[in-house]
Amino acid sequence: GTYEEFINEGFHAELKKVGEPYPNVGKDIAILKIDKEGFKGLKLGTSKTLKPGSKIYVLGYPAVADLNDSGLTQPTFTSGIVSAFKKASQGDYQVIQIDAGVSGGNSGGPAFNDKGEIVGIATFGSNQKEGYNWILPIELGKEFLDELNVKYTTAEEK
């Protein structure tokens, strides 16, 4: 199965676990199981190696990219840096501020480090200020996967 076949044919996805939307207490993450062969998983890294100034890349399907009928099926790839780490206003974890573009529709998309490892999950951006966007640390996603006993590939931590 190619990427084009995946998009054109659609797929079956089963919702396995859902967190609470930010800023409610809880984690704004959902785990979906997609029944489609031929797609390799991506490596999960760690957000612990990130620091202000680290390069970050975000992949997603922002609704603002809908310039024509096929716009929503074309992913966008943005880049930037980590700006800061801040305690979540609700919950016992940190959120990571980035300046890479994140728009409505990007939520749930992967954020990569410069090694191509997923280190975060796009969650929300500011409507008032450009370049003021947020990702959740990948460790929150790993917690959900561990609770569901889902196997995943990780990068070796150094």
Side-chain angles (χ1 to χ4, degrees), residues 5 24 26-27 32 37 56-57 59-60 62 64 92 111 114 117 120 124 126 132 137-138 150:
E5 290 170 342
N24 296 340
K27 296 163 181 130
L32 301 174
E37 292 184 23
I56 199 86
Y57 305 89
L59 181 67
V64 295
D92 60 350
D114 56 3
E117 302 160 348
F124 60 93
S126 170
Y132 195 72
I138 193 58
V150 173

Side-chain angles (χ1 to χ4, degrees), residues 41-46 50 54-60 76-82 98 100 109-122 135 138:
L42 299 171
K43 286 188 179 168
L44 303 183
T46 177
L50 297 175
S54 293
K55 287 292 287 175
I56 199 86
Y57 305 89
V58 179
L59 181 67
T76 63
F77 194 66
T78 60
S79 67
I81 61 167
V82 170
I98 62 172
F112 301 93
N113 62 14
D114 56 3
K115 296 177 187 171
E117 302 160 348
I118 300 174
V119 293
I121 302 166
I135 61 175
I138 193 58

Side-chain angles (χ1 to χ4, degrees), residues 13 15-16 31 33 38 41 53 68-69 76 86 89 93-94 97 104-105 112 114 118 122-123 129 131-132 134 138:
L15 189 57
K16 298 301 265 183
I31 302 295
K33 178 183 177 188
N68 58 45
D69 289 343
T76 63
K86 299 187 177 178
S89 59
Y93 56 94
Q94 288 191 318
Q97 181 186 341
F112 301 93
D114 56 3
I118 300 174
T123 188
K129 186 165 167 72
Y132 195 72
W134 302 93
I138 193 58

Side-chain angles (χ1 to χ4, degrees), residues 138-150:
I138 193 58
E139 287 76 16
L140 298 179
K142 287 178 182 179
E143 284 178 23
F144 277 34
L145 293 171
D146 290 342
E147 287 175 22
L148 294 166
N149 293 317
V150 173

